[in-house]
Amino acid sequence: MSKQKKRVIHFKSPVIDGSVSTAFAKCGQKNCRCHADPKALHGPYYRWIGNVNGKKTTRTIDAELAKEIKQWMGNYENLQRQIAQHIKETLDSAIWKRGGRK
Ligand SMILES: [Zn+2]
């Protein structure tokens, strides 16, 4: 068995994956400005779409949380980059050359 190094990954918390979407919408009132002018649609409305316990899930969120979640997704991307870098280092060390075929 080869030596295993202990490494520390530093990342900002919280982390979250998924995506944030923005939507504008018409309301139910026929005489409202939103029916006359596409620029006068209501919104923006924000949604987080991601996985909760393996199930695709959508949650309606407010503008402030949307902004925060985007930062948390950035934290997650940063963490993923670090993991990818560690995997790359493992692959770059040409582990295949270690032994013969079984
Ligand atoms: Zn309306």
Side-chain angles (χ1 to χ4, degrees):
M1 208 166 168
S2 65
K3 264 191 215 167
Q4 293 180 34
K5 289 178 200 162
K6 278 196 179 167
R7 298 272 189 96
V8 177
I9 289 181
H10 294 277
F11 64 97
K12 283 184 189 166
S13 187
V15 293
I16 193 168
D17 62 353
S19 60
V20 172
S21 73
T22 309
F24 293 84
K26 283 181 189 173
C27 71
Q29 293 175 299
K30 283 269 191 272
N31 57 352
C32 180
R33 63 192 165 90
C34 68
H35 286 266
D37 182 1
K39 286 178 192 159
L41 292 172
H42 301 279
Y45 300 105
Y46 298 92
R47 277 185 292 245
W48 171 80
I49 300 154
N51 271 288
V52 178
N53 300 322
K55 247 177 112 178
K56 192 182 176 190
T57 304
T58 302
R59 292 277 182 267
T60 301
I61 53 178
D62 63 20
E64 196 185 331
L65 184 57
K67 203 175 154 189
E68 280 187 288
I69 284 179
K70 283 175 187 173
Q71 288 174 353
W72 303 346
M73 291 191 308
N75 293 343
Y76 181 61
E77 281 166 24
N78 183 272
L79 176 58
Q80 276 187 310
R81 265 197 300 277
Q82 292 183 70
I83 293 168
Q85 181 59 35
H86 286 292
I87 291 172
K88 187 182 180 300
E89 285 171 21
T90 302
L91 296 174
D92 286 350
S93 72
I95 48 177
W96 340 108
K97 291 180 183 168
R98 200 194 275 166
R101 282 187 200 143
K102 279 183 183 165

